[in-house]
Amino acid sequence: MNAAVCIDPETGLKVFNTRAAEAIEKITGKGYSVVTDQKLTELPKMPAGATFNAEEQAKYLAFKEARRGAADYMAMEGEFKKYLDDVYSEPPIPREALDDECEILVVGAGFGGLLLWQKLSQAGFTDVRFCEKGGDVGGTWYWNRYPGIACDVESYSYLPLLDETGYVPSMKFASGFEILEHCQRMAQKFGFYDHCLFHTTVEATTWDEASGRWLVETDRGDKMRARFVILANGILTTPKLARIAGMEKFKGESFHTSRWNYNIDLSGKRVGIIGTGATAVQAVPELAKVVGQLYVFQRTPSSIDVRDQRATTDEEQTTWAREPGWARARRARFAKISEVRAAVLANDDYLAGKIQDFKERKKHDRQLTPEELMQKQLDSSFRLMEQIRARVDAIVKDPKTAAALKPYYPYGCKRPTFHDEYLPTFNLPHVHLVDTAPRGVSEINERGVVHEGVEYPLDVLIYATGFQWMGTSTFNMVTGRGGRTLKEKWEIEGTRTFLGLHSRGFPNLFIVTGPQGGGGSFNFTDVIYAHADYLVWVLQTMRERGARIVDVRKEPEDKYAEHCRDVDIATAPLRDCISYYNGEGKAAPGSLAYYGGRQWDKYRIEAQTSLEPYAFEGDPNRGLLRQR
Ligand code: NAP
């Protein structure tokens, strides 16, 4: 067997062999099912006369206000820490603790890490080391393996490096298992595994001014120094639990959806699932296929649009095989889509370049005021939600269940979901929707869930309760100049970044897909591409200029943070509900997600042209090139 750590005689760099072996085999419900019943794959027509009038607005407001303060989550600590165990891999490969130096250290081996490696190595940066908590690559797609998992951005635009690997996804919305395999394919093809320390969690990242290095400490006892640190460990990665009285008493089996325990046989069992977000919407139909009784505990219904899943056609396979760059071109077209629902539907003819637009644009006689424009957007969001609500009535037979499944908030305010089997599942005699609106499940005992005095005895309880936004300890444990952590800075000053990638006082540290970092696309992969390209530019620019350190200046950072705040405020009415996107209604404007569309590119291009936002410090050996 190869040693876990050895030296490449040619480069002198360390080579790692730390990928863990797979621990699970029994996977069910891979999410490939294609529904052909047209009633399930088309939205009902817009109900006549639907307007977002005062009565409807009041209904939305009441729906929202009833939930205010209901979201109470907790981290998986103490007796709940067991829910974080890595159930997917064999135990970590033993290895020595590292006490050495590399040029670039990247946290995370998901899409971000994989793409960064491909781009950095092509640009000649090869002394790059990755630390990954899991036993293999994949990130989100490593941890989330629940039955039914699939991407909800069309896979031909979502999966990175399709042109470079020659791979074509088998379905329009590829299963999570297929995506995980693609991550492994990317890692193999570009030699990623040699550079990655798996089962290694970064616990502290501290700037040392004297050496101009970051000291990175891990749970494996490593103390590594790096000139640059890139945080590519995602913003929705740490699972959370709803805080529910008595949950520690439950005697049955339980787990979180992001650590699906396939060793527990669910067939014929009484299974409960708490939560009805994007995860549960995909998992519930698959669960219903195997369990004896299924209880879905819902606080807020998701909007369930049509999915229209399909297999990749033979024609597509043949055409794309002859067309180098087809995926890049498709992703670029996808990035031009400016409406959430159009992105969800992902019109094939448009994306394949067969037509130039997929809908007729309305021309107005005069320029609309921002207020008029907002009203128009709210009206069209309302009409779409009316169709989504009409779909519930058209599919779900029991009127009480149908009423509970209808969401009353603007489209896209919570993660819009789609599925063609989720709603019909509630017509099955063994599937029960337990409507816990608006406060949610509040009691669990030894036997199961208790709601409004009714006990629901369960053999297995599944928490589909989501993830902490920026909940990785990353932001607590990055200590920059002056001994201040990133978390402290953002708590005192508000989230402050330049392009989401730099934060002043944290030189040579870059955050990929963090707060304020979103680009102009609904496709997360696009954002990762944009960030990776940008970082290669930063590093190349520094190399060319002999710069040792890069930080950002105060004014551009303040201006950019202000811009994020302004666009958040300006677009807030479109997302007026309680959601993790807005910190359950508590986040300061501009502090979390970014809604500035292509403005991100504008700021980036201006910065790259003028270099004004940057504070470069030179290499002492080569003279100070530029300092502000
Ligand atoms: P989530 O959207 O945060 O959903 C958590 C669910 O738990 C919500 O329905 C929430 O209700 C519910 N909940 C919390 N406490 C409760 C209580 N006490 N009683 C009853 N219900 C309770 O988490 P998620 O579904 O795992 O999705 C997280 C994100 O991951 C998605 O939005 C998406 O970005 C990503 N994701 C993507 C895909 C994909 O690409 N295919 C699939 C899955 C997930 P409230 O709504 O009332 O708070």
Side-chain angles (χ1 to χ4, degrees):
M1 196 183 94
N2 292 339
V5 180
C6 56
I7 306 277
D8 179 336
E10 268 180 43
T11 61
L13 295 175
K14 291 205 170 104
V15 173
F16 306 126
N17 179 23
T18 61
R19 180 186 180 189
E22 278 271 345
I24 53 158
E25 287 157 13
K26 307 169 212 152
I27 304 278
T28 51
K30 289 198 173 185
Y32 284 121
S33 45
V34 174
V35 173
T36 47
D37 180 350
Q38 227 176 337
K39 191 174 150 218
L40 300 175
T41 57
E42 280 179 8
L43 270 191
K45 290 217 172 350
M46 186 97 66
T51 52
F52 195 35
N53 56 26
E55 197 184 323
E56 299 294 347
Q57 287 172 25
K59 201 168 178 179
Y60 272 34
L61 190 64
F63 192 89
K64 173 182 136 186
E65 290 306 324
R67 284 161 177 79
R68 195 180 284 285
D72 188 11
Y73 290 101
M74 56 184 230
M76 294 172 175
E77 289 164 352
E79 61 196 290
F80 300 108
K81 205 163 175 236
K82 61 177 188 215
Y83 290 121
L84 284 174
D85 288 350
D86 181 355
V87 288
Y88 305 121
S89 288
E90 294 294 341
I93 308 274
R95 66 168 174 85
E96 69 203 59
L98 298 170
D99 180 2
D100 61 352
E101 179 164 334
C102 63
E103 187 179 19
I104 304 169
L105 190 141
V106 183
V107 188
F111 275 16
L114 289 163
L115 197 58
L116 275 163
W117 168 245
Q118 193 265 351
K119 298 245 170 208
L120 288 168
S121 56
Q122 289 222 329
F125 297 94
T126 50
D127 187 5
V128 188
R129 183 173 296 178
F130 296 80
C131 290
E132 165 57 49
K133 183 168 45 161
D136 203 340
V137 293
T140 293
W141 304 103
Y142 174 86
W143 295 109
N144 289 280
R145 304 193 197 190
Y146 55 82
I149 186 168
C151 55
D152 55 7
V153 167
E154 69 133 22
S155 50
Y156 317 120
S157 300
Y158 178 70
L159 269 61
L161 302 177
L162 291 177
D163 296 308
E164 293 77 356
T165 53
Y167 183 68
V168 175
S170 66
M171 306 293 288
K172 175 128 174 148
F173 301 102
S175 139
F177 299 93
E178 184 173 346
I179 302 173
L180 176 59
E181 275 169 26
H182 184 61
C183 289
Q184 293 162 341
R185 177 179 301 111
M186 290 188 277
Q188 295 280 15
K189 168 128 188 148
F190 300 106
F192 180 91
Y193 284 116
D194 288 352
H195 293 261
C196 191
L197 296 166
F198 291 102
H199 280 145
T200 300
T201 303
V202 172
E203 292 188 325
T205 306
T206 311
W207 176 248
D208 175 40
E209 196 70 62
S211 63
R213 301 284 186 275
W214 286 98
L215 174 66
V216 180
E217 296 170 80
T218 76
D219 65 343
R220 302 292 291 271
D222 305 306
K223 290 187 193 314
M224 301 175 280
R225 288 166 302 284
R227 283 190 62 202
F228 300 97
V229 168
I230 305 177
L231 304 177
N233 47 336
I235 40 172
L236 270 181
T237 46
T238 309
K240 63 181 164 42
L241 292 173
R243 190 191 302 277
I244 302 171
M247 55 202 288
E248 71 289 349
K249 294 185 196 152
F250 183 61
K251 290 272 191 291
E253 302 276 11
S254 56
F255 54 85
H256 186 272
T257 50
S258 68
R259 305 287 189 275
W260 197 275
N261 192 340
Y262 281 96
N263 290 323
I264 299 171
D265 183 4
L266 299 177
S267 45
K269 300 264 170 63
R270 296 168 304 176
V271 175
I273 181 164
I274 298 180
T276 49
T279 297
V281 168
Q282 293 183 334
V284 161
E286 297 303 319
L287 278 172
K289 289 173 190 165
V290 291
V291 306
Q293 296 291 320
L294 181 62
Y295 296 89
V296 181
F297 297 96
Q298 172 189 274
R299 179 165 66 200
T300 308
S302 282
S303 61
I304 319 285
D305 206 334
V306 298
R307 181 191 209 198
D308 210 7
Q309 169 72 301
R310 66 169 177 83
T312 305
T313 63
D314 292 345
E315 190 204 331
E316 283 168 329
Q317 293 274 9
T318 329
T319 318
W320 291 337
R322 286 196 305 253
E323 199 181 308
W326 70 269
R328 203 168 309 123
R330 192 170 174 109
R331 204 173 44 252
R333 280 191 286 271
F334 189 100
K336 291 197 182 121
I337 300 178
S338 59
E339 282 172 19
V340 186
R341 181 147 197 273
V344 166
L345 294 182
N347 181 296
D348 281 306
D349 285 342
Y350 166 73
L351 291 170
K354 291 182 187 162
I355 56 171
Q356 289 316 306
D357 212 342
F358 47 86
K359 67 182 247 189
E360 256 181 52
R361 311 259 152 209
K362 267 200 197 133
K363 294 225 166 60
H364 299 290
D365 307 340
R366 63 182 171 81
Q367 176 118 22
L368 300 179
T369 64
E371 293 74 28
E372 286 170 329
L373 198 59
M374 174 58 70
Q375 195 53 51
K376 284 212 163 300
Q377 286 175 288
L378 285 170
D379 287 343
S380 61
S381 155
F382 175 74
R383 286 195 296 270
L384 173 54
M385 288 299 275
E386 282 286 274
Q387 287 180 277
I388 282 171
R389 291 187 280 265
R391 185 182 191 223
V392 179
D393 281 329
I395 295 173
V396 179
K397 295 200 177 106
D398 172 45
K400 198 167 157 237
T401 307
L405 283 165
K406 289 190 220 167
Y408 289 90
Y409 46 75
Y411 181 80
C413 157
K414 280 177 178 276
R415 173 80 173 208
T417 73
F418 51 49
H419 213 290
D420 300 336
E421 291 174 277
Y422 180 75
L423 292 172
T425 302
F426 292 98
N427 291 331
L428 300 172
H430 69 294
V431 178
H432 317 278
L433 182 75
V434 184
D435 182 14
T436 67
R439 312 308 291 173
V441 172
S442 56
E443 189 185 342
I444 292 175
N445 66 19
E446 309 65 38
R447 292 173 296 280
V449 170
V450 183
H451 183 67
E452 291 182 340
V454 181
E455 186 180 271
Y456 299 88
L458 302 169
D459 302 308
V460 183
L461 178 55
I462 301 168
Y463 290 97
T465 46
F467 303 85
Q468 296 174 45
W469 184 273
M470 294 197 303
T472 51
S473 51
T474 313
F475 299 96
N476 305 326
M477 55 66 174
V478 178
T479 309
R481 284 184 158 150
R484 185 152 80 144
T485 65
L486 199 49
K487 186 161 184 260
E488 282 161 1
K489 171 180 167 171
W490 288 353
E491 267 170 11
I492 294 164
E493 297 178 16
T495 309
R496 241 148 242 273
T497 73
F498 184 65
L499 299 175
L501 282 132
H502 308 255
S503 194
R504 181 177 157 79
F506 298 85
N508 290 5
L509 179 100
F510 313 108
I511 306 163
V512 171
T513 65
Q516 305 183 343
S521 173
F522 298 107
N523 183 4
F524 207 63
T525 304
D526 242 356
V527 181
I528 298 172
Y529 266 94
H531 287 191
D533 286 339
Y534 172 80
L535 288 182
V536 168
W537 172 83
V538 171
L539 295 169
Q540 277 174 333
T541 304
M542 291 179 74
R543 228 176 220 191
E544 281 159 23
R545 297 174 158 258
R548 187 172 62 90
I549 289 170
V550 63
D551 202 344
V552 281
R553 296 191 303 114
K554 184 169 182 334
E555 302 82 68
E557 179 171 279
D558 288 350
K559 191 172 154 212
Y560 181 74
E562 200 60 20
H563 156 74
C564 291
R565 186 176 167 273
D566 290 348
V567 284
D568 198 356
I569 291 170
T571 54
L574 297 171
R575 301 179 306 278
D576 192 15
C577 74
I578 306 284
S579 151
Y580 73 79
Y581 287 153
N582 59 20
E584 309 296 343
K586 291 189 221 134
S591 63
L592 301 178
Y594 174 64
Y595 306 100
R598 290 179 181 84
Q599 293 289 307
W600 184 87
D601 275 315
K602 183 174 151 284
Y603 275 86
R604 172 185 60 78
I605 293 164
E606 278 172 12
Q608 289 177 315
T609 311
S610 71
L611 298 185
E612 280 297 310
Y614 306 104
F616 290 116
E617 290 170 42
D619 188 321
N621 300 322
R622 301 179 60 180
L624 205 65
L625 281 180
R626 189 183 175 96
Q627 193 170 29
R628 286 175 189 280

